Amino acid sequence: LAAVLGNFGFHLHDRDLFVNAAGGVRIEETASDLTVVAAVASSFMGRAIPRDTLIFGEVGLVGEVRSVAQAARRLREAARHGFRRVLAPPGAAPDPIPGVTVVTTATVSALLTALSLTSR
């Protein structure tokens, strides 16, 4: 994922990266790829991701964002937990979720733009 970010101007080859999930949970699902990319870019830029924003999607080698299983269920759960903005792969929200704005992010570049994170 760090190599993918390098394609978008985030040159991390000289940095040590540590990703820690709350409570020490092991992340094995590819739906967390986009979240990790956002977190690394956010940290690199020194800008926080808004607390009411949820991010999910699988990231391909050239920065494309792929759909994940049970996207609609994830969106309903996000609304239940108070998230108001979700950045998700195309097609994740076939039906509107009341109170939740879904921003389609087909590429890592679209994610970075949606979060106002551009490389230095």
Side-chain angles (χ1 to χ4, degrees):
L1 295 174
V4 171
L5 273 169
N7 294 329
F8 299 94
F10 291 85
H11 302 292
L12 305 167
H13 60 278
D14 61 342
R15 312 231 176 181
D16 292 327
L17 299 177
F18 298 92
V19 177
N20 185 19
V25 175
R26 293 191 77 183
I27 302 173
E28 297 177 0
E29 184 182 20
T30 57
S32 62
D33 287 356
L34 199 59
T35 306
V36 171
V37 166
V40 170
S42 166
S43 177
F44 185 80
M45 297 301 294
R47 292 193 210 133
I49 296 170
R51 294 180 61 86
D52 67 345
T53 301
L54 177 80
I55 303 165
F56 69 86
E58 181 179 357
V59 176
L61 291 176
V62 294
E64 75 278 13
V65 177
R66 300 179 188 145
S67 62
V68 297
Q70 300 183 3
R73 183 176 178 189
R74 293 171 198 267
L75 291 170
R76 287 191 305 274
E77 194 66 17
R80 196 171 78 76
H81 286 280
F83 291 100
R84 297 292 161 239
R85 183 174 181 224
V86 177
L87 283 72
D95 300 317
I97 306 289
V100 176
T101 301
V102 178
V103 178
T104 299
T105 54
T107 63
V108 167
S109 179
L111 169 80
L112 298 172
T113 298
L115 292 172
S116 300
L117 299 172
T118 55
S119 65
R120 297 180 198 191

